[in-house]
Amino acid sequence: MEFKVESKITMEISVGNSLIMVLFILYTFIFSGFDVNALPYDYTASIEASSPFLNIGGIVVNPEFDTGLEGWEAYGDAKMELRELAGNKFIAAHARNQPCGSISQKLSLQREMHYSFSAWIQVSEGNESVAAVFKTSTGFKHAGAVVAESKCWSMLKGGFTSDCTGLAELYFEIRKSIVRIQAVDKQKNPLPNATISIQQKRPGFPIGCAMNKNILTNTAYQNWFTSRFRVTTFEDEMKWYSTEGSPGHEDYSSADALLSFAKRHDIAVRGHNVVWDDPKYQPGWLYSLSRTDLSKAIVRRVKSLMSRYKGQLIAWDVVNENLHFSFFESRLGNQASGDIYRLAQTVDSSVPLFLNEYNTIEDNRDGAAATAKYLQKLRQIQGSATNARLGIGLESHFDTPNLPYMRAAIDTLAVTGLPIWLTEVDVQSGPNQARYLEQILMEAHSHPKVDGIVIWAAWRPYGCYRMCLTDNDFRNLATGNVVDNLLRRWHSGTLFGSTDSEGFFEASLFHGDYEVNITHSSSSSVTFQITV
């Protein structure tokens, strides 16, 4: 396993048997009033694998290794050495056993400066998801990520805004783990040349899509969905206006049917939502209730919905969008959200209770849902629901993504240590819709603190909410092709190989659940499960 850096900022990383080559340049932008001082910036980008243009410059020290290894260090468990081939010098980082094992360089950053990062990446075999990460005194800043392919160069482009002054360390991370398996007989003797297969049964990083009741009667929709996704959220079927059209008359038949369908196909479900703070989306009869009767209705709603599906879901969106809206707070007081979370915790403490909100990572102009306001609301809820298991739900309804802001916002929220999901990912219609979707999904997947993604593209014959993945015949649109390509790239599939002379077999795997089968001529076959 090697990771090499050549002159002209060329890197090769070995993950399993794959080598990754990276060419990069780091620019610094300094904003002072309306004056901008910066190194020349290249506005070009590419979404197609191709031959890169070498572009040397920026603040990287000793980019062509004219002074040996000056400025460069091994990172994580990697070892490195300077080599030369065909007149090109490069650093080889080898003996990697961790996703972050690579080479690194310490760079001096200044607070509130903007740093742009570009990289061309290539792997020798297959494909690998590679992220560029800056470790600073305040956390990890993700400068971008790309799925690198073999025999061509793929462009990684991103950046971040520094929130501190001081040294930062640049390194590269792969969302995979190195797994080493040894085959031995009953006497613990190694079994060389044993045949081994490793098949991924469930990815460790869940990527799903919303669904609605249209799937229950449409076989084509069912086949398209179940062949791709292992997690979902029901678009409307659990919402209060769908389940209690008149007071005391509850109808959970659609939600029950969808949950039964999901269970049959081994699809995990997020509960969405218990109550919604937007005044436009309340059951009609709720508006005329007195304060006392509204409080009673909320208690009945929380207990009815959450007890019905307790133990069958992986999460709850409890008070939806209560940074932008305050229907319940305006009638019951500022403590209303905290009271609802406290009640929710008493009904179902088995799964995280999410605060689901939009524009926290999508739009830095929306002060209502900025990270500081989101954290303030979390603290308020925690003050009332002291034992609640909370989660951070980022709806992710994007127009034009600001990837550095998205990364910085997630970095800030990750300090809480709470689980983070992108819960309703979509992109507005336009010529760049598919490209923007790919960038957003890759950024989220590469962030080590993001635990899962749900795409908000439940199909309806008259059109999806903002973004569809297929047409009405369930042929992929460009957005659907993006999702399929990424699902294939982020899936380890089935690996085959043989153990070495000491009975060992080593593989680089995406996180998930795997079935391992080992066969040897001297003993019977054995099959077992592992989680990476």
Side-chain angles (χ1 to χ4, degrees), residues 33 88 90 107 150 196 206 220 262 342 361 412 416 476 527 529:
N88 284 323
F90 59 89
L107 304 166
S150 61
I196 186 168
R342 185 173 65 250
I361 63 173
T412 301
T416 63
N476 272 4
T527 300
Q529 309 293 322

Side-chain angles (χ1 to χ4, degrees), residues 39-341:
L39 293 170
Y41 179 70
D42 183 356
Y43 285 91
T44 61
S46 173
I47 60 173
E48 302 295 336
S50 61
S51 299
F53 296 97
L54 298 180
N55 200 348
I56 307 303
I59 63 173
V60 174
V61 174
N62 186 25
E64 296 187 344
F65 313 114
D66 293 330
T67 54
L69 293 174
E70 179 188 1
W72 297 96
E73 299 178 2
Y75 191 86
D77 62 344
K79 298 178 181 178
M80 73 172 190
E81 59 184 88
L82 182 64
R83 300 179 185 174
E84 185 170 346
L85 180 65
N88 284 323
K89 297 176 182 177
F90 59 89
I91 296 177
H94 54 88
R96 300 178 58 255
N97 291 301
Q98 298 174 0
C100 63
S102 62
I103 64 164
S104 68
Q105 183 168 139
K106 291 184 173 66
L107 304 166
S108 181
L109 304 182
Q110 295 186 44
R111 189 173 182 271
E112 296 183 355
M113 289 190 182
H114 304 276
Y115 295 88
S116 180
F117 183 90
S118 298
W120 288 95
I121 300 179
Q122 182 182 142
V123 297
S124 61
E125 297 179 11
N127 55 71
E128 305 287 354
S129 179
V130 183
V133 183
F134 287 80
K135 180 181 179 182
T136 74
S137 60
T138 58
F140 296 87
K141 308 300 179 185
H142 291 75
V146 71
V147 176
E149 302 178 19
S150 61
K151 300 180 181 178
C152 62
W153 293 85
S154 301
M155 190 177 193
L156 179 160
K157 195 162 190 175
F160 65 97
T161 300
S162 178
D163 59 1
C164 62
T165 296
L167 287 179
E169 191 166 16
L170 164 66
Y171 69 94
F172 293 84
E173 183 172 87
I174 300 162
R175 196 183 264 272
K176 281 190 173 183
S177 292
I178 305 299
V179 175
R180 197 174 191 218
I181 298 170
Q182 185 181 31
V184 297
D185 61 19
K186 293 181 179 181
Q187 289 73 41
K188 306 299 182 183
N189 297 313
L191 295 175
N193 299 317
T195 300
I196 186 168
S197 67
I198 303 177
Q199 182 181 13
Q200 187 176 44
K201 308 302 287 186
R202 177 183 287 274
F205 187 96
I207 299 176
C209 185
M211 67 165 64
N212 56 39
K213 60 186 178 183
N214 289 304
I215 202 169
L216 298 173
T217 56
N218 191 313
T219 303
Y221 187 9
Q222 294 174 6
N223 293 337
W224 178 86
F225 193 100
T226 58
S227 65
R228 289 164 172 80
F229 302 116
R230 301 268 68 82
V231 64
T232 192
T233 302
F234 303 159
E235 187 176 37
D236 290 309
E237 286 75 8
M238 280 189 180
K239 291 173 181 172
W240 201 351
Y241 59 68
S242 295
T243 64
E244 195 174 2
S246 58
H249 295 86
E250 296 176 328
D251 181 4
Y252 290 107
S253 57
S254 292
D256 287 349
L258 280 176
L259 183 59
S260 177
F261 173 83
K263 286 180 178 179
R264 289 197 305 272
H265 294 279
D266 194 27
I267 298 170
V269 178
R270 300 187 73 259
H272 178 79
N273 52 54
V274 181
V275 297
W276 196 347
D277 236 341
D278 190 336
K280 294 187 299 184
Y281 297 109
Q282 307 302 330
W285 53 270
L286 216 62
Y287 299 99
S288 60
L289 297 182
S290 67
R291 175 173 177 151
T292 298
D293 287 342
L294 178 59
S295 293
K296 291 179 180 178
I298 291 172
V299 171
R300 187 174 66 248
R301 162 67 175 176
V302 172
K303 290 183 177 180
S304 174
L305 177 72
M306 296 185 67
S307 62
R308 185 181 190 90
Y309 298 116
K310 181 179 180 179
Q312 303 179 75
L313 309 177
I314 61 171
W316 284 105
D317 293 331
V318 179
V319 183
N320 206 51
E321 297 177 355
N322 64 339
L323 288 172
H324 283 96
F325 306 107
S326 55
F327 176 82
F328 300 106
E329 288 82 355
S330 66
R331 289 158 176 77
L332 303 176
N334 291 334
Q335 81 292 341
S337 290
D339 291 345
I340 295 171
Y341 276 89

